[in-house]
Amino acid sequence: MTASGSPVRQSSVRAHNLALVLRTVANSADRPSRAAISTSTGLTRATVSALVDDLIAGGLLTEHDPAPRTGAGRPAAGLALSPAGPAGLGLEINVDYLAACVVDLTGDVRHRFVTQSDQRRLSPSASLASLGGLALRALEAASADGLAIAGAALAVPGLVAPNGIVRVAPNLDWQDVDAPALLNVLPGLGGLPITVDNEANLAALGELRADSGEQSFLYVSGEIGIGAGIVLDGELYRGGRGWSGEIGHVTVYPDGRPCRCGANGCLEQYAGQEQIAADADLAASALGIALAAVVNLLDISVIVLGGTYAPEFPRLRPGIEAELARRVLTAGLAPVTLRAAALGPDAAMRGAAGAVIQALIDDPAAFLIRTA
Amino acid sequence: MTASGSPVRQSSVRAHNLALVLRTVANSADRPSRAAISTSTGLTRATVSALVDDLIAGGLLTEHDPAPRTGAGRPAAGLALSPAGPAGLGLEINVDYLAACVVDLTGDVRHRFVTQSDQRRLSPSASLASLGGLALRALEAASADGLAIAGAALAVPGLVAPNGIVRVAPNLDWQDVDAPALLNVLPGLGGLPITVDNEANLAALGELRADSGEQSFLYVSGEIGIGAGIVLDGELYRGGRGWSGEIGHVTVYPDGRPCRCGANGCLEQYAGQEQIAADADLAASALGIALAAVVNLLDISVIVLGGTYAPEFPRLRPGIEAELARRVLTAGLAPVTLRAAALGPDAAMRGAAGAVIQALIDDPAAFLIRTA
DNA sequence: ATCGATTTGTTTATTGGTTGAATTATTTGG
DNA sequence: CCAAATAATTCAACCAATAAACAAATCGAT
């Protein structure tokens, strides 16, 4: 076994503290001053000033005149993420639609393009070519706004390896598709760094950014299949091979309905899109059983229902909660919160774009060096 | 929402690099030289030398003459964890026994005391008092060896809050027991820092340290109840409130046998100690169904069976593997490894002691400052 | 109006810690 | 016995954060 971890030098210190300052501004409800950042991070005012200078010079932060006049003393200059700073391109490919959007540093959706079209008949390269067209329109719109694009992220309904290759996407009929490579050869997408991730994972990240506060939750996405994104302590848990969250194939009834995966009684056979319509009570109960297992295993206290579950939430809620109350060991000690997703069907696409700018916020030093 | 994270100063750099060097030595099969550490960590030889000096002065490392003569050049001085360095005290309280052990920095069990006695009739303070007696004997034995004790960790079969209070331990009939406080008033245990954790969690940590290589696995402990420790990327996952791993109450048969927790069809009713003896096939199948859910959710590729499952492993294995093959979505893409625990019934106690010295290895700077 | 109090932000000398190059130490091989 | 090779140490330089002094801008009170 080789030693893990990497050495820390002074430049790492600066990188870390740059990220700390930027994150503090990003997570702030108001526009904090340098002094406020100093007290909330524990860094000296002098250090904060120096770091902020770099971030402003790099186009990540902007200085504003502060609206609120409080007491005595020199007025503070409010700092905020720059809407003119680098933006993220979010892409999504799904069974019956393609989508692209541009989200700026502040999290605003600046442009949004969606085309409805069935992808099941198309080859992966054909699907990705149409998506590339959509992406190009988004890039042009961004460029018209003077926005630089820091990178792109693509959401797919399937298992994605860490290197971005889609191992299998059953509902698209994809196998071992090198999506980043196929996208990068398209016009306009040449040098763009592109990452690929599971649709539910990115939707979970979208929820993490959209709704404040919750740092650990399970995002359950009901589409044609059922996937889940697991967020632990503010970070997406991907599993050893990136294949976590396959809640759709958790066994609910061991001798139940046969599933296309070969097993019997998978959740997907009771709480899939069609099954909800047929019998909402059964779907809720099955979901509750599977979710109780997740809570017992991971001690997660918040569950977010997304995708097609979001509009059905009022109808599903009682049945799910009943099973949770009955089957979660610690239900008596602390409740489990159940809520519908805040972002609608755009969650995955916005999560993808958000992932790009989150990467930027988590490591601004990399961006500053790249553009220096 | 307040900003998370803390600032990094130069002293943090040194703390990080001290831990990096120490960890490199700890994870090394042989006795690495300063030069070897330098190349494997990326730190300069000069820096490594300075850090190693501190670690030797603090009693954490020792220098050895190197046995193997390779080629030309000045021979390297081999570095290793010091057996005379600070040791950890591992404690365990369970339904039918108490145990204490002293493990030195190198991981060797230096002393071990176990007494069989039923704890179900005793009050928490009475149980802890007898355990304190055992601990005192262990401390005296360590002191006779000239070993300093850096801290203690206690394994209990129950839910433990982050502050060390045992919220509930059903089989001991404990509720809201402040174990660290009760132990600290006992003779000889005065100033000792004591942490408390779930038995399965600590056993999982024991396995992590004992068996090399696997960084993500599920440790399933079959005792009177069934618990699990989840190790992700080399770290124990405790969940939001520290109550993760309650696999014993994952639903296997939704309308099955009633459980003492109030639900129906919990795993514990099919794969508990008595049930294995009664019907090993049923136990294996139920375990397989629950474990398949874990693998689908967390993409874990290694499962370790401990506690009473370890001796039964050959009998359980085929039944579990059959269910895993059938119910794990990615079973065709990559296999799930199943194995028996390497440490026997001592896993939790040794894991507890190991947790103490692991904390030391993860942050030697804290220890060096304390003893400077 | 003016001065002191107050808070923000910048400047400057100092300190801690890593780096890189030169130096010393210790062995093998010709 | 000397050259080559490898290990470890010494020392000046550099980078980044800190602490303290200083400059800027406002409020409040006389």
Side-chain angles (χ1 to χ4, degrees), chain A residues 91-94 98 119 122-136 154-156 164 166 172 174 176-187 189 194 196:
Chain A
L91 303 172
E92 180 174 2
I93 185 164
N94 220 314
L98 301 172
Q119 304 299 315
L122 299 177
S123 71
S125 52
S127 284
L128 288 170
S130 350
L131 182 62
L134 221 55
L136 189 56
L154 168 64
V156 290
V166 181
L172 291 172
W174 281 19
D176 293 310
V177 174
D178 190 347
L182 288 172
L183 282 172
N184 261 325
V185 297
L186 297 177
L189 306 182
I194 298 178
V196 186

Side-chain angles (χ1 to χ4, degrees), chain B residues 14-289:
Chain B
R14 190 160 192 85
H16 178 108
N17 287 339
L18 273 170
L20 179 61
V21 167
L22 190 57
R23 182 156 28 104
T24 303
V25 176
N27 293 342
S28 233
D30 51 352
R31 292 175 168 169
S33 65
R34 293 168 173 78
I37 296 170
S38 166
T39 58
S40 100
T41 60
L43 292 164
T44 322
R45 280 195 312 238
T47 305
V48 172
S49 273
L51 294 168
V52 164
D53 283 352
D54 277 12
L55 292 170
I56 289 178
L60 299 178
L61 287 184
T62 48
E63 221 172 12
H64 294 74
D65 288 331
R69 180 116 333 284
T70 58
R74 170 175 171 176
L79 296 167
L81 293 175
S82 167
L89 176 64
L91 304 173
E92 180 173 2
I93 186 164
N94 220 314
V95 175
D96 48 359
Y97 65 94
L98 301 172
C101 71
V102 175
V103 174
D104 70 20
L105 250 194
T106 71
D108 281 352
V109 179
R110 299 283 281 263
H111 303 285
R112 178 176 177 282
F113 301 90
V114 180
T115 61
Q116 301 286 334
S117 73
D118 197 309
Q119 304 299 314
R120 271 171 284 202
R121 294 279 154 74
L122 299 178
S123 71
S125 52
S127 285
L128 288 170
S130 351
L131 182 62
L134 221 56
L136 189 57
R137 282 169 59 194
L139 289 175
E140 282 165 355
S143 156
D145 288 357
L147 287 177
I149 300 291
L154 168 64
V156 290
L159 299 177
V160 183
N163 58 5
I165 291 180
V166 180
R167 290 303 301 276
V168 51
N171 297 318
L172 291 174
D173 203 20
W174 283 19
Q175 277 208 12
D176 293 311
V177 174
D178 190 346
L182 288 173
L183 283 173
N184 262 324
V185 298
L186 296 177
L189 305 182
L192 206 64
I194 299 178
T195 64
V196 186
D197 211 329
N198 175 272
E199 166 251 335
N201 279 350
L202 289 174
L205 280 181
E207 282 294 318
L208 174 66
R209 286 180 54 83
D211 200 81
S212 53
E214 293 154 2
Q215 291 295 298
S216 296
F217 61 87
L218 184 79
Y219 176 91
V220 186
S221 158
E223 301 283 345
I224 305 284
I226 305 175
I230 305 172
V231 176
L232 306 176
D233 302 329
E235 272 187 53
L236 189 61
Y237 173 71
R238 285 193 166 77
R241 290 157 300 208
W243 305 340
S244 71
E246 288 299 330
I247 196 174
H249 297 277
V250 163
T251 302
V252 180
Y253 298 103
D255 303 309
R257 301 176 186 164
C259 180
R260 66 197 160 84
C261 77
N264 286 77
C266 293
L267 174 63
E268 200 164 294
Q269 296 306 315
Y270 299 88
Q273 226 167 27
E274 298 165 21
Q275 285 75 23
I276 302 177
D279 189 342
D281 287 346
L282 180 60
S285 163
L287 266 173
I289 292 171

Side-chain angles (χ1 to χ4, degrees), chain A residues 8-10 33-35 45-46 49 72-74 76-77:
Chain A
V8 168
R9 40 194 104 268
Q10 284 95 326
S33 65
R34 292 167 173 80
R45 283 200 312 253
S49 273
R74 170 175 170 175

Side-chain angles (χ1 to χ4, degrees), chain A residues 186-238:
Chain A
L186 297 177
L189 306 182
L192 205 64
I194 298 178
T195 64
V196 186
D197 211 329
N198 174 272
E199 167 252 332
N201 280 350
L202 290 173
L205 281 181
E207 282 293 321
L208 175 66
R209 287 180 53 83
D211 200 82
S212 54
E214 292 155 2
Q215 291 296 297
S216 295
F217 61 87
L218 184 80
Y219 177 91
V220 187
S221 158
E223 301 284 344
I224 305 283
I226 304 174
I230 304 172
V231 176
L232 306 176
D233 302 329
E235 272 187 55
L236 189 62
Y237 173 70
R238 287 193 164 78

